[in-house]
Amino acid sequence: MAHQNLTPELLEQLNAAVPGRVYTGEDLNPDYARDEAPTYGQHMPDAAVECLTTEEVAAVCKLCYDSDVPIVPRGTGTGLCGGCVPTHGGVVIDTQKMNKILSWDLDNFAVRVQAGVLLNDLANACQEKGVFYPPDPGEKFATIGGNVAVNAGGMRAVKYGATRDYVRAMTVVLPCGEIIRLGGEVTKTSSGYNLLQLMVGSEGTLGIITEVSLRVLPQPGETFSLLALFSSLDEAISCVPRIKMSGLDPQALEFLGRDMVVSIERFLEKTVFPGTSEGQEVGAYLLTTFECARGESVADRMEWAAEVCLENGAMDIIVYDTPEALRNAWAVRGATLEAILTDFKLNDECDVVVPIPRIPEFVNYVFSLEEQVGLAVRASGHAGDGNVHVNVCANDMDQAEFLTRAEKFMTLAYARWCRQ
């Protein structure tokens, strides 16, 4: 069925349902036209509605559904693939002001939040309550609703899993405006179809998530980070299974190539990671974080982690165990995208998950495509779970030409792995 345009009658109904928070024309925030990857296009909606409650979202959905007008849910717009861009116009449902933490059930290790709560705010609130919300995607100012909708992972996924592993229940508004509640607040629910997990990762295509009940954990003990220096990416990745099999159970386990680190440090305007070890050039790094159980000797665990890396190819080890040192070390990993965007005017990114031992093979392959597609390639990622972030970049190139070349690259990269 073809989409219909927003009519004056529908606009009047929207204003009646959500008075004072319906925007059109010059009142529309220009950010509604895009997410953080504008190369995927920019399209303004006909209207935007700031909703504060599930009932308001339901009312807007029903009105638009009955009029065949498209709706697009939106959080903070931090996505990188155009998911919240209103390519067919219609109405954007803005959930940013649905940002309340609704209740805590610490005896049951659960918290219930509105979808617009920011990941950063939830993490801070959990710390104040003495609990821990493990999912740690790179974008700390994304909304929880968006994290659930895309099943966000992040650096701590190697130990704790992805967002879906912490969703106990949710409230969802279907496109027709019906409100449904999925899952349960209790630890175990095994009755009937698992529609809760069907909704997690559905990216707004099945319904709009408005409230979520999340599992939290006791706060972990003291942490420290360790940087292992290797002569090559192959050497670094070959150490990853040894770290995981050792029983150290890393909280985070990231890899970076030397070229990527040089770019990041140029962006940060400071040197953090050494480029040589005893006169030999460093080719790649593993940056890890380990937790210590309460009462466990931090020094003993540091020594254990260092021995595992040195016995399995590391040229040298650097330990970060003070707040400032930890901030500096992880600022390097956290600034990857910002450094790329500083170096290049045009950028596109894909995530590919491969078996850990084959990360070097895949990374070397995508680098080999640079000349074929005529784009620069940058790669980093989660060594602990095989998730490789690949960016293709360019300067002084027409955007349409860039998108054509980027599509060719993505086709080759995904096809290479899908044939494995």
Side-chain angles (χ1 to χ4, degrees):
M1 183 180 295
H3 296 137
Q4 302 300 313
N5 295 323
L6 181 69
T7 63
E9 292 77 17
L10 177 56
L11 183 59
E12 183 177 349
Q13 292 174 322
L14 291 172
N15 275 300
V18 189
R21 284 176 277 116
V22 179
Y23 304 96
T24 59
E26 294 183 356
D27 293 330
L28 282 168
N29 186 329
D31 287 345
Y32 287 136
R34 49 167 288 179
D35 64 4
E36 290 192 3
T39 51
Y40 279 104
Q42 302 186 53
H43 304 271
M44 285 297 289
D46 299 315
V49 183
E50 287 183 342
C51 292
L52 303 182
T53 66
T54 296
E55 289 70 26
E56 287 185 347
V57 174
V60 173
C61 285
K62 178 168 174 51
L63 289 170
C64 293
Y65 182 84
D66 290 344
S67 299
D68 295 326
V69 171
I71 52 176
V72 178
R74 181 186 176 93
T76 51
T78 58
L80 295 171
C81 57
C84 64
V85 177
T87 53
H88 298 285
V91 175
V92 162
I93 297 179
D94 186 343
T95 63
Q96 290 185 86
K97 291 187 176 179
M98 298 177 65
N99 57 6
K100 294 182 176 60
I101 296 178
L102 299 171
S103 63
W104 294 91
D105 183 359
L106 297 183
D107 290 338
N108 200 34
F109 286 94
V111 58
R112 185 165 65 93
V113 303
Q114 288 185 304
V117 169
L118 301 182
L119 174 64
N120 184 72
D121 293 345
L122 176 61
N124 289 338
C126 283
Q127 187 170 18
E128 291 174 3
K129 294 285 186 179
V131 292
F132 175 53
Y133 178 65
D136 186 36
E139 178 51 73
K140 303 300 185 285
F141 295 94
T143 62
I144 293 298
N147 281 183
V148 174
V150 301
N151 186 32
M155 298 182 193
R156 290 199 286 252
V158 61
K159 179 179 177 71
Y160 290 107
T163 298
R164 73 164 65 251
D165 299 302
Y166 297 88
V167 179
R168 284 187 173 176
M170 67 172 71
T171 301
V172 179
V173 177
L174 300 180
C176 62
E178 181 181 351
I179 299 171
I180 61 173
R181 290 177 173 82
L182 305 174
E185 308 288 346
V186 293
T187 302
K188 179 181 179 181
T189 53
S190 57
S191 300
Y193 296 113
N194 194 347
L195 299 180
L196 177 74
Q197 291 298 335
L198 178 65
M199 196 63 64
V200 177
S202 62
E203 301 192 25
T205 60
L206 300 178
I208 301 176
I209 299 166
T210 59
E211 294 180 12
V212 188
S213 293
L214 299 165
R215 178 169 69 104
V216 294
L217 302 179
Q219 285 187 350
E222 188 174 349
T223 64
F224 67 92
S225 288
L226 180 151
L227 181 72
L229 285 55
F230 294 87
S231 60
S232 68
L233 181 61
D234 296 76
E235 289 282 340
I237 298 304
S238 69
C239 186
V240 172
R242 306 293 180 265
I243 294 173
K244 297 178 74 175
M245 287 293 290
S246 70
L248 283 162
D249 199 13
Q251 185 194 86
L253 182 50
E254 302 291 299
F255 78 86
L256 289 163
R258 177 61 190 163
D259 290 346
M260 190 71 251
V261 168
V262 170
S263 176
I264 295 167
E265 291 182 335
R266 184 168 60 244
F267 167 75
L268 294 174
E269 297 183 341
K270 61 181 177 181
T271 299
V272 183
F273 294 172
T276 61
S277 175
E278 297 183 352
Q280 185 177 356
E281 290 189 1
V282 177
Y285 306 84
L286 289 181
L287 180 60
T288 64
T289 293
F290 300 98
E291 297 172 1
C292 298
R294 287 176 174 82
E296 182 181 12
S297 167
V298 176
D300 288 349
R301 198 164 183 83
M302 284 181 185
E303 184 177 354
W304 179 13
E307 286 178 356
V308 170
C309 292
L310 290 170
E311 289 172 0
N312 289 281
M315 304 159 65
D316 200 0
I317 297 296
I318 299 173
V319 174
Y320 303 100
D321 58 354
T322 67
E324 183 178 2
L326 286 166
R327 279 194 300 271
N328 286 334
W330 285 99
V332 175
R333 177 63 183 88
T336 303
L337 181 58
E338 288 85 352
I340 291 171
L341 295 177
T342 299
D343 288 345
F344 297 98
K345 297 176 183 177
L346 296 169
N347 170 71
D348 200 357
E349 180 181 352
C350 67
D351 278 14
V352 182
V353 180
V354 302
I356 293 168
R358 301 186 70 174
I359 290 175
E361 174 190 340
F362 180 74
V363 171
N364 291 332
Y365 173 71
V366 295
F367 279 132
S368 76
L369 297 177
E370 285 188 320
E371 184 174 348
Q372 183 175 348
V373 300
L375 297 173
V377 175
R378 298 290 183 267
S380 61
H382 310 313
D385 60 18
N387 186 351
V388 182
H389 302 304
V390 183
N391 294 75
V392 284
C393 323
N395 284 313
D396 304 321
M397 182 181 293
D398 176 75
Q399 182 167 304
E401 175 66 19
F402 171 76
L403 289 174
T404 298
R405 296 187 184 200
E407 183 177 1
K408 179 180 179 181
F409 172 88
M410 301 296 180
T411 299
L412 292 169
Y414 282 119
R416 168 63 175 254
W417 186 248
C418 288
R419 287 197 298 267
Q420 303 304 309

